[in-house]
Amino acid sequence: MGIWTTSRHRGGQQLGRLEGKVALVTGAGSGIGRAIAEAFAGEGARLAVNDIRGSRARATAERLARRGGHALPVQGDVSVESAVKDMVRKTLRAFSRIDILVNNAGVVTFVLVERMPPRIWDRMIAVHLRGTFLCTRYVLPHMLKAGSGKIINIASQRGQKGGPWLTHYAAAKAGVIGFTRSLALEVSRRNINVNAIAPGPILTGATISARFRRTVRGLPIGRPGRLDDIVPTALFLASDDSSFYVGQTLCPNGGDVML
Ligand code: NAD
């Protein structure tokens, strides 16, 4: 897959907050990942757009290019080591650097523990936790070599408060929060900034259901989250403004969890 691009006409305009940066966003073929990729591109970043579904990755890259961005679609399953290595290699070949990694790819299923086939458990942990580890594992050495980097992990309020039918998801997301803190302790003195976002219920294609509507009714803010409620937090964490945030989990969640 080649880089989708069209020329940018920004003569005389102020440069974006992420001008000159390269971002790799996983699961950017839809929902939150796509919105983050679009916002980063709007701030001048060049994007590697990953999704397990190649058609989705390509569609996002085309959207970004139509708006004047530079985007490389990189199909791959974040839980598969060879796919992640390939994705990182292609990104570096196209852009020579990766400044920002957003570990966003995710799935959600609803199953009671007493009925959960172990393969459902394993898949959940693999996509969220192994995926976050693998992408970080193969991007981090390049950031360390460059002397800077931003890693943003998308967790969930379920990783903080739990949820019935969601033990596998909640455990994976709690793991992402623990991974974020521990990695921050390892690398923050080497100028790698690691933080997480734990969104509350956000309206995306993945969430429209009666269960979602019930969850939203219990939210203190009284409405579902929108993509616009998450994107500014991701932009903040990707920008220089967040350099004193270390291993934190930011919570745009409509009041679902108050810390
Ligand atoms: P979504 O389904 O719209 O997007 C997820 C994308 O990830 C899809 O395009 C999917 O194809 C891709 N993907 C799935 N498995 C993958 C894999 N193994 N490798 C690469 N790509 C893969 O979902 P979303 O709501 O945008 O969720 C994005 C992230 O935000 C997830 O980590 C999710 O757990 C988290 N989150 C979502 C909500 C919410 O209410 N929507 C709340 C809290 C956290």
Side-chain angles (χ1 to χ4, degrees), residues 6 49 96 191:
T6 55
V49 175
S96 308
N191 204 27

Side-chain angles (χ1 to χ4, degrees), residues 60-100:
T60 299
E62 286 172 36
R63 271 165 75 114
L64 299 188
R66 276 199 301 275
R67 298 172 186 190
H70 289 62
L72 174 76
V74 277
Q75 188 276 333
D77 181 339
V78 295
S79 70
V80 175
E81 186 179 12
S82 58
V84 172
K85 281 178 159 176
D86 190 49
M87 176 168 98
V88 172
R89 197 173 51 240
K90 283 177 177 156
T91 305
L92 290 169
R93 197 168 62 211
F95 299 127
S96 308
R97 54 190 295 149
I98 302 175
D99 302 286
I100 304 159

Side-chain angles (χ1 to χ4, degrees), residues 27 30 32 51-52 56 76-78 104 155 169 173 199-200 202 204 207:
S30 67
I32 293 172
D51 206 279
I52 195 169
R56 287 187 176 183
D77 181 339
V78 295
N104 164 80
Y169 181 79
K173 291 303 198 184
I202 307 299
T204 68
T207 51

Side-chain angles (χ1 to χ4, degrees), residues 26-34 50-53 56-57 74-80 87 103-108 123-124 126-128 131 154-158 169 173 197-207 212 225 227 230 252:
T26 69
S30 67
I32 293 172
R34 182 172 66 192
N50 158 264
D51 206 279
I52 195 169
R53 291 166 71 167
R56 287 187 176 183
V74 277
Q75 188 276 333
D77 181 339
V78 295
S79 70
V80 175
M87 176 168 98
N103 286 308
N104 164 80
V107 289
V108 66
R123 183 65 186 153
M124 189 61 76
V127 174
H128 293 273
I154 306 300
S156 165
Q157 99 280 25
R158 294 295 177 191
Y169 181 79
K173 291 303 198 184
I197 303 175
I202 307 299
L203 262 180
T204 68
T207 51
F212 181 79
L227 293 172
I230 302 303

Side-chain angles (χ1 to χ4, degrees), residues 111-124:
V111 194
L112 290 173
V113 165
E114 70 211 52
R115 295 189 204 139
M116 191 181 302
R119 68 178 163 75
I120 300 281
W121 174 274
D122 289 345
R123 183 65 186 153
M124 189 61 76

